[in-house]
Each structure stands twice: as structure tokens, then as C-alpha cells.
Amino acid sequence: MQLLLLTSALLALFRPHPANGVAIKPRNLKEVTLNIENAQVAPDGFERAAITANGQYPGPLITLNKGDFLRVTMNNRLTDPTMRRSTSLDFDGIFFTTQNSFHEGTPFVTTCPVGPNASFVYDVPLILNQTGTYWYHSQLSVQYVDVQPVDQLAISRVTIGDWWHNSSVTMLAGYVATGIVPVSDSGTFNGVGRFNGGPEVPFFVQNVESGKRYRFRIINQSARNVFTMSVDAIIETDGTPTTPMVVNEIQMLAGQRYSVVLEANQPVANYWINAPFVGGNPAVNPNQNATLSRAILRYAGAPAADPVTPMTLGPDNPNALIEANLRPLVAEAAPPSDVNITLELMVTPGKAQWNVNNVSYLSPVVPTLVKVLDGANMAADFNATENTFILPANSVIQIHFLPNDDDEAHRK
């Protein structure tokens, strides 16, 4: 109880204070309420209990303009004992200031999880003229396997992701006991998927008109799977405008985001949008069939039917994106670094244990940020398992990730 009271007091120091009984509202304020609640869903035809935002699947879209101030009131209404009932929101890719870091949403680091029947107000100012495609999701443990990942802060949305028939709590326990990483049951495209032997859930249909160009903002909201999609041109990567490149295939790691332009320049018909995925040994889960991860591109005037061409994994002669060839639209030289950090990421073979520089992270009882606010400023003030780096203020940090053989491909 003392910790909760202390945290509440600290948070109150940074929130807008009332003036004459009325809270001060930032300019360009957009207020959103998200009720995090359990619901039965069946995106690939298999019904299971899940965690949703406002009872929707996929979750509600938030659209903002450059310079807006987003305020999200999150009400935790989770009750299902088979899943975690505390939660937290992470606004993936959005910049936060030091003063506002407790809204960043990483449990036990910058904030506390929000318990059942509790609420939290996240203030998310769009600083530094930030624009692009982003998304928000649970950041508590592996909970977002159970969550219908909430859609991006963008328009023209396309979300791809892995889907799991079992609760993350059950799968994590099995992983810890056996060291065998779970494999998803299916993949979804805008909330729709199929699995081996399951019902033929209608594929998602993207309607287009011949002669027009369409911008799609794509997010891989997977917990694990890497998807490969067919597109025509890439203009934005992880929120950064890039020099357009003409390709017909892109690989998307978990958490990665792309904006693409598709030219509707083919004869009027129905076409497959291929989104096959990889993520572990499919023999572990007989439900998985990556070929079923797809959607339909339907030209105006085409019949309401599946394409007549076979389902494939992609183009015969792929002109795939080489990520190293991406260049920002506005080039900006990197400043010289003040501090250089090397991180070696390793998974302990046969165990559910990740290590960063030979340290396996364990959540502290007192969140790291609370310790900092209480005066912690030396390595000895933190648990060794927090793996905390003490950095000088206003410094440029360069991080070097050593190559490794881990198959868990993520972009965070």
C-alpha cells in the first residue's frame, strides 16, 4: 500500500494542475477512452476468450494530426482468471520526454501495472513534429498474445499478426517447463485468418478502383511471427519517411511498420494478397498453415469471389526489399556518440530465458523510475537483474547489437 501511495503522489507531481477548479487542457487535445475488457472472439473460426479494447476486434483506431496531444483514459475491466488481469499500455514508437516517461507504459521500469477495476490516464503529446504509423498494445509480460492488439495511430490500416488458440499464461508455463517455444495456430490479416481443419472464414477483402494509387499503413502486430507481403512501393518505415523504392515483396518482423503505395494497374479481377509467415517449427502445431494467411485485392467490377489463381507464398521472381537499402527522405547525419554500449542478446538453450550481456532480467518490486525519483543514480542502487545502465544527461548513445543465432526476430 505504501508503494501505491508513493507512486500516486509522484505521478500527481507531473499531471496538469487544476486552475480555479478546472483542469488545464493542452492545445490540440484529443481525448480517448479505452475500456480493456474480456470478450469471446474467433478471428480464425476458433472461439476463445481474449482481451479487447472497448469490446472491439480489431481494436479502435486513433487518428491524430501532427502536434496533437493525445490523452487516453484506460479503464481496466479484466475479470477472466485464466489470463492476466493487470495490464499496461505501451505506445510503440512514440517519443516521450524525461518528465513524461511514466506514461511510456513499461511495467516495473517506467510505471506500475494497472490492476483490475483501476484506471490510468496516459498523456501522449506528439513532440518533435512526430508523424507516421504507430500502434499501442499491452506491455505486461506476454499478455499481448491474449490481447487483440490495438490498431495503429494512422489511417488506411493493414494489420497482420499471429493468432493463438490458448491463453498466454498456459503457453508460458509450458515454455518454462519444456523450453519449447510455442508456435501460433494461424496468422491474421486485418483480424481475419484460417487454420488447418478449421472453418473457411471469409478472407478480408480490400476494395480498389482501377487506375488509382493507394497508401496502406501496415503493422506486424505479432508476438513472434515474421510475415512476407507483396507490395509495390515503400515510403515510410517505423515512422520515418523514406525515399520510395519499387519492390514486390517485403519481410516484416514483429512490431515493424511500413507505409506502402499500391498501384491498381492490373486488369479488373480478384487477386491474392499473400502474407505467409514463419515463426518456429510448424510441426509443433498442426493447426498452422502459413499459406492460409492472406487477403483478397478486389477491383471495382470484379465478382464477389475468391481469386481463381492458386494460393502461393508470393511472386515467382521476387524483387524483395533489402532493408539496408532504405534511406530517409530527409537525410540527417548522425551526431558523434558520447557513450557506446554493446549488447549481446542470447537465449539460454532449452530454457525460457533471455539474456542481455549475460544478465536475465527480473522485474523489480519497486519500479526502476520510482527508484530514480527517490534519488538512485549509481549502479549499486539497482538490482543486478534490472540490468540498468547509468547514462549522462543530454548525451548521444550509440548501441551496437552483436549478431546472434536467435530465431525470435523482432523490431522494437
Side-chain angles (χ1 to χ4, degrees):
M1 179 61 70
Q2 290 178 338
L3 173 61
L4 293 175
L5 291 174
L6 172 63
T7 304
S8 298
L10 288 168
L11 296 181
L13 293 175
F14 294 98
R15 287 186 177 160
H17 290 279
N20 298 324
V22 179
I24 299 173
K25 288 191 175 182
R27 290 185 56 206
N28 303 325
L29 176 67
K30 179 160 187 176
E31 297 185 274
V32 174
T33 297
L34 296 177
N35 296 318
I36 308 303
E37 53 198 11
N38 297 114
Q40 295 292 123
V41 299
D44 63 359
F46 179 90
E47 184 173 279
R48 59 156 291 188
I51 298 172
T52 67
N54 295 351
Q56 299 180 32
Y57 176 75
L61 173 70
I62 298 176
T63 303
L64 301 170
N65 294 316
K66 183 168 67 175
D68 280 354
F69 190 110
L70 174 65
R71 178 168 290 162
V72 178
T73 299
M74 185 190 73
N75 302 312
N76 184 351
R77 297 180 177 176
L78 298 176
T79 58
D80 192 327
T82 67
M83 292 175 277
R84 289 181 179 270
R85 283 171 284 183
S86 294
T87 193
S88 178
L89 282 185
D90 172 52
F91 300 86
D92 213 323
I94 297 294
F95 300 146
F96 286 85
T97 63
T98 300
Q99 293 80 5
N100 199 38
S101 58
F102 55 88
H103 290 291
E104 184 271 337
T106 302
F108 308 109
V109 179
T110 60
T111 189
C112 295
V114 179
N117 300 314
S119 299
F120 189 82
V121 178
Y122 292 91
D123 281 348
V124 188
L126 298 185
I127 60 175
L128 301 177
N129 292 320
Q130 190 170 16
T131 60
T133 307
Y134 306 93
W135 63 305
Y136 53 106
H137 55 79
S138 170
Q139 190 76 324
L140 180 61
S141 185
V142 292
Q143 185 181 52
Y144 94 69
V145 170
D146 298 315
V147 177
Q148 302 307 305
V150 187
D151 282 307
Q152 65 265 40
L153 283 65
I155 58 175
S156 304
R157 55 183 173 177
V158 173
T159 53
I160 51 177
D162 43 25
W163 184 246
W164 312 74
H165 291 177
N166 297 308
S167 161
S168 65
V169 173
T170 302
M171 291 191 293
L172 180 59
Y175 178 27
V176 171
T178 66
I180 299 174
V181 184
V183 172
S184 72
D185 293 277
S186 62
T188 61
F189 190 109
N190 275 359
V192 178
R194 292 184 183 182
F195 65 97
N196 272 336
E200 293 189 351
V201 177
F203 292 111
F204 176 84
V205 175
Q206 178 62 59
N207 294 299
V208 297
E209 295 182 22
S210 183
K212 292 186 176 181
R213 301 169 76 238
Y214 293 84
R215 176 178 182 173
F216 298 108
R217 301 175 185 261
I218 310 173
I219 288 180
N220 182 357
Q221 58 187 23
S222 294
R224 184 180 190 193
N225 289 353
V226 177
F227 284 76
T228 302
M229 296 191 62
S230 300
V231 296
D232 282 338
I234 298 170
I235 61 174
E236 176 218 331
T237 305
D238 293 335
T240 301
T242 59
T243 301
M245 298 178 62
V246 178
V247 300
N248 63 7
E249 186 176 271
I250 56 173
Q251 185 183 77
M252 298 192 65
L253 280 61
Q256 201 165 17
R257 312 176 302 279
Y258 280 108
S259 277
V260 304
V261 172
L262 182 142
E263 290 195 43
N265 57 7
Q266 301 297 306
V268 172
N270 292 296
Y271 298 88
W272 290 120
I273 302 175
N274 301 302
F277 59 86
V278 294
N281 182 2
V284 174
N285 190 339
N287 285 339
Q288 188 181 105
N289 183 348
T291 308
L292 297 176
S293 180
R294 61 184 55 251
I296 297 172
L297 186 71
R298 177 167 296 154
Y299 278 70
D306 287 356
V308 297
T309 53
M311 295 183 184
T312 69
L313 296 179
D316 292 332
N317 299 301
N319 173 29
L321 167 70
I322 299 175
E323 191 172 3
N325 291 340
L326 288 170
R327 296 292 182 271
L329 187 61
V330 179
E332 183 178 350
S337 60
D338 301 307
V339 178
N340 294 289
I341 296 174
T342 297
L343 298 181
E344 184 177 19
L345 313 180
M346 297 294 292
V347 178
T348 303
K351 292 185 178 181
Q353 184 181 62
W354 279 261
N355 302 284
V356 179
N357 292 358
N358 295 318
V359 176
S360 180
Y361 177 81
L362 293 175
S363 300
V365 174
V366 178
T368 302
L369 182 60
V370 174
K371 293 181 181 179
V372 172
L373 293 172
D374 281 342
N377 57 16
M378 297 184 298
D381 296 327
F382 303 93
N383 301 336
T385 52
E386 285 180 84
N387 215 1
T388 303
F389 293 80
I390 310 298
L391 303 173
N394 303 314
S395 298
V396 176
I397 314 299
Q398 178 171 290
I399 302 176
H400 178 214
F401 292 91
L402 296 178
N404 66 77
D405 296 327
D406 177 24
D407 74 338
E408 302 306 307
H410 285 70
R411 171 64 55 85
K412 296 297 284 180

